[in-house]
Amino acid sequence: MPSRTVHRPPRAPDLTSYDLLAPQLSGGKDSAVMMFVFMEAARAAGVADRVISYHSSLGVLEWPPVVFGGIRYPGVSELAALQSAAFGVPADRHLEVTRTMPGPDGTRMPRSLLTEIAAYGRFPRMGSPYCRKSAKESVVSSAWTPIVNRLKRELGRPVRILKVMGLRSDEGPDRKKREAFRTVQANSARVVDEWLPVKDWSTDAVKEWHADAPVPYCWTYDSAPGAGDWGGTSRHVARARCASSPPATTCCSPSAGGRGWPTCTPRSNRSEATASALTGASPI
């Protein structure tokens, strides 16, 4: 049983005390800023070699790459890898993980968040963002298990892991109340602390940082890809996501008022399906 003090870590972490430093990258604007701040701290502490970055993929529900005006804009999975590489993490130390389930032949196969939406009507919405934990954080936690098993044998003690995330107070009251540094798991195998190094960054500060950033931000933040206006996600962006998904998949939208079952429609298999009915961009 760990001592009570393990649940009250100091506000800022001592990076040298961890066996694994694990930033989680969404590919969004905040994870890029987080990676910049975190990797500066890791290099200053001399522990950049302990970093393995993670991106938890939502599969067919990931924002896809699109081509607009003859320019290709990467999807979020690619952006997460670019964010990791831009700040010095070798390609073999950036891992993309996803939820899996048993396949018909007994092997593991990807389990999309879309499966739960279609089967149970569990559409993530304001006040019920269940996907954050089950489809993202929990998937990364499971991916640590082989590392934990190996290091625990070598070290003869629980493995110390620092989970680093780009959550910010400006994103909502629940995140404003979340501690910037806390212990989220402690048992005989692992002790996991969580650090939010950009928790107090304002949205304007994040946008200003991206004006001269070494990585692009996701095209969905603009009114149209490449507009640079931070105009926000609109209906034609949602259509781009649907049209760029793999053939024979289903596109879902929330029900009226965000309650009950979503409206799900099969996507056409036509190869000429465009990335957006408005932009005419081609899917990648």
Side-chain angles (χ1 to χ4, degrees):
M1 178 72 67
S3 65
R4 295 179 65 86
T5 56
V6 78
H7 298 285
R8 296 193 177 110
R11 182 171 178 80
D14 173 10
L15 300 188
T16 64
S17 69
Y18 295 95
D19 307 301
L20 171 64
L21 301 171
Q24 298 187 19
L25 302 174
S26 67
K29 67 183 190 306
D30 298 331
S31 69
V33 174
M34 174 275 288
M35 196 63 177
F36 162 70
V37 173
F38 164 67
M39 286 303 294
E40 279 204 335
R43 281 190 292 271
V47 291
D49 59 333
R50 302 183 195 178
V51 175
I52 299 179
S53 60
Y54 294 84
H55 171 66
S56 184
S57 172
L58 296 178
V60 297
L61 293 187
E62 291 271 275
W63 288 109
V66 298
V67 172
F68 177 59
I71 300 174
R72 182 184 184 277
Y73 295 88
V76 292
S77 289
E78 187 177 348
L79 284 168
L82 289 171
Q83 291 171 358
S84 182
F87 301 111
V89 178
D92 62 352
R93 295 180 70 85
H94 173 72
L95 303 180
E96 182 172 312
V97 296
T98 190
R99 300 176 75 187
T100 62
M101 62 182 180
D105 59 354
T107 60
R108 306 293 297 183
M109 59 183 295
R111 176 182 179 180
S112 171
L113 179 63
L114 189 62
T115 305
E116 294 186 12
I117 293 174
Y120 307 112
R122 300 182 68 207
F123 202 98
R125 61 183 184 270
M126 186 68 72
S128 182
Y130 72 91
C131 61
R132 290 177 189 164
K133 196 75 176 178
S134 63
K136 294 185 177 181
E137 295 182 54
S138 296
V139 180
V140 173
S141 181
S142 296
W144 294 333
T145 300
I147 298 175
V148 169
N149 291 341
R150 175 176 59 82
L151 288 180
K152 187 176 184 298
R153 288 193 301 268
E154 295 175 1
L155 300 172
R157 60 166 172 77
V159 178
R160 290 183 52 78
I161 300 173
L162 181 65
K163 176 173 73 171
V164 191
M165 303 176 70
L167 307 186
R168 296 184 302 106
S169 295
D170 273 8
E171 295 179 292
D174 59 329
R175 296 191 176 187
K176 186 174 184 178
K177 291 184 292 186
R178 195 160 173 163
E179 295 180 57
F181 186 51
R182 60 177 181 156
T183 296
V184 294
Q185 185 179 13
N187 55 42
S188 62
R190 65 179 80 176
V191 175
V192 182
D193 291 344
E194 177 186 274
W195 185 32
L196 313 179
V198 296
K199 181 178 186 290
D200 296 328
W201 278 52
S202 68
T203 299
D204 286 341
V206 172
K207 291 179 180 180
E208 183 179 351
W209 181 87
H210 273 282
D212 192 31
V215 289
Y217 61 84
C218 187
W219 56 271
T220 62
Y221 290 121
D222 291 336
S223 59
D229 57 6
W230 295 88
T233 303
S234 59
R235 284 180 297 175
H236 75 269
V237 170
R239 288 200 298 273
R241 183 176 190 168
C242 185
S244 296
S245 60
T249 61
T250 302
C251 291
C252 299
S253 56
S255 58
R259 296 182 174 82
W261 284 72
T263 301
C264 297
T265 56
R267 190 181 77 79
S268 169
N269 285 334
R270 293 178 303 164
S271 61
E272 67 270 18
T274 60
S276 167
L278 179 63
T279 65
S282 300
I284 304 299

